[in-house]
Amino acid sequence: AKRYNYQTQFVEACYHYYNGNIDFGIQVLASIPVITKEPYYNTVLGLWLLEQKNYGNAQSYFQKAYELGNAQALFYYAIAKSEIGDYQ
């Protein structure tokens, strides 16, 4: 039942984000309790923050997603770093 609840929260976050209530959508996604354990949610949140030019916070979520097992998040992490001029 809890997993279903998290999926419902994710759908709610997407609804708000893609209907123009971007900050609230980000807030809803960031508040999902399993964000600390699920690489997918961290990756999506990082991508949303990257779209909003919030590169520092995007990096944090991509790093967490990578640590949780999403190897592709390392690519997104590099993009966020390059956007702030960090080419190391």
Side-chain angles (χ1 to χ4, degrees), residues 20-81:
N21 196 353
I22 293 168
D23 291 338
F24 188 67
I26 289 171
Q27 183 181 11
V28 170
L29 183 53
S31 71
I32 294 175
V34 295
I35 193 88
T36 60
K37 300 175 187 167
E38 292 287 338
Y40 179 75
Y41 295 141
N42 281 277
T43 303
V44 171
L45 190 50
L47 288 170
W48 287 359
L49 291 166
L50 189 67
E51 287 178 349
Q52 301 309 310
K53 300 183 182 342
N54 189 338
Y55 305 121
N57 285 335
Q59 281 182 292
S60 297
Y61 284 102
F62 293 140
Q63 182 175 352
K64 184 68 174 173
Y66 177 74
E67 291 169 359
L68 291 170
N70 181 358
Q72 188 175 10
L74 191 58
F75 174 72
Y76 299 135
Y77 178 85
I79 291 172
K81 280 187 75 156

